[in-house]
Amino acid sequence: MPRSRKDRILPVAPVDRLIRSAGAGRVSDKGAERLAQILEEVGEYLAKRAYELTTHADRKTITDKDIELAYKQWSKSL
Amino acid sequence: MPRSRKDRILPVAPVDRLIRSAGAGRVSDKGAERLAQILEEVGEYLAKRAYELTTHADRKTITDKDIELAYKQWSKSL
């Protein structure tokens, strides 16, 4: 179910700039919103996997190493 | 090569909130920065794929449909 704007955590404006910096001249509002939504889903998913690695290592604070391993394992599992 | 903070397009603060909302209590600064960097890479990659779909359809403006198809094709190709 698509989230409403209120629920969104990632702001759309930087995602809009990200798309333009990738070489595209123009992007519709809905296009930028959809990408922000996707990145938020990917981010939440990676954060959950990273936190599993954190607790697995008997720690409480997620570090860049946890994020890194979660990303590596995820990109191989898809 | 890791980007410097200056080059970053996605702000770290909302990514930090995203990680906390995923159930993790604490996250290191580097952890949040690394996830912001990853999401930016994923976002740029998806934007490039989406723009190829845009030009393929003889359009100039990236829409949510282009983003959607790029995401669908990417998640199947990985």
Side-chain angles (χ1 to χ4, degrees):
Chain A
M1 197 170 68
R3 291 176 163 195
S4 73
R5 288 184 182 214
K6 259 193 174 175
D7 294 330
R8 176 97 26 80
I9 296 174
L10 286 187
V12 173
V15 175
D16 189 295
R17 284 197 296 278
L18 187 69
I19 295 172
R20 287 169 207 275
S21 82
R26 284 184 277 176
V27 57
S28 73
D29 288 353
K30 277 190 175 180
E33 278 177 29
R34 185 67 188 107
L35 187 58
Q37 192 181 45
I38 286 169
L39 293 181
E40 191 162 317
E41 286 168 10
V42 168
E44 272 188 6
Y45 181 72
L46 283 176
K48 280 178 187 167
R49 290 188 72 137
Y51 190 54
E52 287 174 1
L53 300 172
T54 307
T55 55
H56 183 74
D58 285 329
R59 285 182 282 102
K60 288 181 177 175
T61 303
I62 295 184
T63 68
D64 52 331
K65 307 279 179 192
D66 301 317
I67 298 285
E68 195 64 46
L69 183 56
Y71 182 47
K72 186 182 135 192
Q73 290 185 334
W74 171 68
S75 56
K76 284 188 181 168
S77 73
L78 268 175
Chain B
M1 198 170 68
R3 290 177 161 195
S4 73
R5 287 181 184 219
K6 259 193 174 177
D7 293 331
R8 177 98 23 82
I9 296 174
L10 286 188
V12 174
V15 175
D16 189 296
R17 284 196 296 278
L18 187 69
I19 296 171
R20 288 169 207 276
S21 83
R26 285 184 276 176
V27 55
S28 73
D29 288 352
K30 276 190 176 181
E33 278 178 29
R34 184 68 188 106
L35 188 59
Q37 191 181 45
I38 286 169
L39 293 182
E40 190 161 318
E41 286 167 10
V42 169
E44 273 189 6
Y45 181 72
L46 283 176
K48 280 178 188 168
R49 289 187 73 137
Y51 190 54
E52 288 174 0
L53 300 173
T54 308
T55 55
H56 183 72
D58 285 329
R59 284 181 282 103
K60 288 181 177 175
T61 303
I62 295 184
T63 67
D64 53 331
K65 307 280 178 191
D66 300 318
I67 298 284
E68 195 64 46
L69 183 56
Y71 181 48
K72 187 183 134 193
Q73 290 185 336
W74 171 66
S75 56
K76 283 188 182 169
S77 73
L78 267 174

